[in-house]
Amino acid sequence: MWPEVAVLLLLLVQTSHALCHPASCGKISNISYPFRLKGDPEKCGEESYELGCENNVTLLYMNSAQYHVQAINYKNYTVRVVDPALQLHNCSSLPLRSLSRSNFSDTYTYTYSSDPYQAITSSYENWGSLSFEHILFLNCKHTVRENGKYVKTEECVKWDSKGYAYAVVGDLKAEDLEVGCDIKLVAPTSLRTFNNHSYTSMHSSLAYGFQISWINLACQNHPCPDGFCYFDSASQKLDCRRGPCELDRKLIYL
Ligand SMILES: *[C@@H]1O[C@H](CO)[C@@H](O)[C@H](O)[C@H]1NC(C)=O
Ligand SMILES: *[C@@H]1O[C@H](CO)[C@@H](O)[C@H](O)[C@H]1NC(C)=O
Ligand SMILES: *[C@@H]1O[C@H](CO)[C@@H](O)[C@H](O)[C@H]1NC(C)=O
Ligand SMILES: *[C@@H]1O[C@H](CO)[C@@H](O)[C@H](O)[C@H]1NC(C)=O
Ligand SMILES: *[C@@H]1O[C@H](CO)[C@@H](O)[C@H](O)[C@H]1NC(C)=O
Ligand SMILES: *[C@@H]1O[C@H](CO)[C@@H](O)[C@H](O)[C@H]1NC(C)=O
């Protein structure tokens, strides 16, 4: 009697996600575990990965902000999102809110954070690198000519009538922060092939969006007793790597 009950329970647990039909919203046609759409049965997907759907746009909620979902990749556990205010062919459009690595708890601690989304790539080759690059917006009291990293935003972005507006790719080292410049906004992009001398090219990359992942959730179902779980892009599967992961991360971030 008992073994049968156990088998039945196991079957129920295993199939409960499978009984959910993939939901669809606009161009995102395959919304399935861990995601669910608002209004789907509770057994489908996880509450912290609930997506919205408004006017055929799929919405992802993160840190009380919302983002437009551009693509979901279930093979490598990533989702690409874009700030709702960014318009592809309007280089004056800017993100509503700053977002950078510091908004993701996984970028400084390796305690399996309970945050639903991670910004660190946990593929073996790119271990520990960010899944996006930063673009910084600065407003300067003077023109900056000597520093090649400062790209004029030209007619696209102006913060105030007196200032000079620039965009800079990547993280600013202390020596790169020019006197009289304020950081106005930081925005992520995962399209790294832009022309770093052209603001319109940088803007198109921002409008492409940035990738975040749910690797921590995926790894919860992939125990690694002697090491840690990572995504192997060659086999397109989760795998175990030996060794203390915590140490690796500390080496990278401290
Ligand atoms: C939808 O996603 C599931 C994984 O959640 C995958 O098994 C299935 O092949 C996908 N279907 C399509 C049409 O992409
Ligand atoms: C959403 O897309 C569907 C199918 O493409 C279409 O029938 C519907 O009118 C669209 N709804 C809105 C609000 O745009
Ligand atoms: C995941 O797959 C997408 C689509 O193929 C790709 O653009 C992205 O770079 C991949 N990300 C990782 C972390 O492997
Ligand atoms: C472009 O974006 C700016 C800033 O968000 C906005 O004021 C302007 O109306 C937009 N232009 C068009 C043509 O949508
Ligand atoms: C990210 O962190 C910055 C600084 O703490 C904050 O101003 C911003 O609103 C945060 N962005 C989001 C989307 O939560
Ligand atoms: C611009 O990109 C090129 C090629 O990727 C790189 O070599 C160069 O250092 C970058 N320049 C700046 C100012 O970031």
Side-chain angles (χ1 to χ4, degrees):
M1 173 71 191
W2 286 113
E4 283 93 332
V5 172
V7 167
L8 187 65
L9 280 177
L10 191 67
L11 281 174
L12 280 175
V13 169
Q14 281 181 338
T15 52
S16 62
H17 293 311
L19 291 175
C20 295
H21 292 289
S24 159
C25 173
K27 63 182 175 183
I28 309 298
S29 59
N30 188 7
I31 298 174
S32 49
Y33 188 84
F35 298 101
R36 69 165 179 240
L37 219 45
K38 256 184 200 158
D40 282 350
E42 262 176 38
K43 66 176 166 58
C44 301
E46 303 283 342
E47 188 180 8
S48 42
Y49 296 87
E50 189 167 278
L51 304 174
C53 182
E54 280 173 25
N55 303 320
N56 282 345
V57 174
T58 309
L59 303 174
L60 179 147
Y61 305 94
M62 182 169 62
N63 300 343
S64 74
Q66 64 180 40
Y67 295 89
H68 289 179
V69 177
Q70 302 298 99
I72 303 179
N73 191 310
Y74 294 96
K75 285 219 167 86
N76 65 17
Y77 312 99
T78 62
V79 51
R80 177 160 54 90
V81 297
V82 68
D83 186 284
L86 279 165
Q87 299 167 277
L88 183 54
H89 296 295
N90 179 354
C91 73
S92 299
S93 64
L94 288 171
L96 288 175
R97 289 173 74 176
S98 273
L99 189 73
S100 69
R101 68 182 307 155
S102 61
N103 297 88
F104 293 86
S105 62
D106 67 303
T107 62
Y108 7 53
T109 50
Y110 184 77
T111 42
Y112 262 114
S113 78
S114 55
D115 285 2
Y117 301 107
Q118 286 80 51
I120 292 282
T121 300
S122 65
S123 65
Y124 194 82
E125 314 78 59
N126 297 317
W127 179 258
S129 62
L130 278 183
S131 55
F132 51 75
E133 179 144 47
H134 296 131
I135 294 185
L136 280 69
F137 290 86
L138 296 104
N139 193 43
C140 301
K141 290 204 178 82
H142 316 283
T143 54
V144 177
R145 288 202 192 82
E146 314 73 39
N147 193 327
K149 287 188 178 168
Y150 281 63
V151 177
K152 273 196 197 141
T153 55
E154 309 287 355
E155 313 79 50
C156 297
V157 180
K158 206 112 188 63
W159 297 101
D160 66 49
S161 53
K162 286 169 291 178
Y164 299 85
Y166 294 94
V168 172
V169 178
D171 299 318
L172 263 193
K173 299 196 185 79
E175 69 259 30
D176 285 326
L177 186 55
E178 301 287 335
V179 178
C181 296
D182 284 330
I183 297 177
K184 305 293 281 185
L185 189 67
V186 185
T189 172
S190 294
L191 188 66
R192 297 170 195 248
T193 53
F194 51 83
N195 172 354
N196 59 12
H197 298 295
S198 148
Y199 179 66
T200 46
S201 176
M202 287 159 71
H203 182 271
S204 305
S205 291
L206 289 178
Y208 170 85
F210 60 96
Q211 265 178 28
I212 47 181
S213 85
W214 66 92
I215 188 81
N216 282 3
L217 178 79
C219 279
Q220 277 172 21
N221 303 320
H222 196 276
C224 291
D226 305 318
F228 58 92
C229 160
Y230 73 98
F231 178 74
D232 184 70
S233 29
S235 64
Q236 295 279 300
K237 278 196 197 120
L238 295 178
D239 206 343
C240 290
R241 181 181 172 184
R242 289 179 68 88
C245 174
E246 194 165 353
L247 196 63
D248 284 37
R249 296 229 178 182
K250 281 203 175 122
L251 285 175
I252 295 167
Y253 291 112
L254 288 186

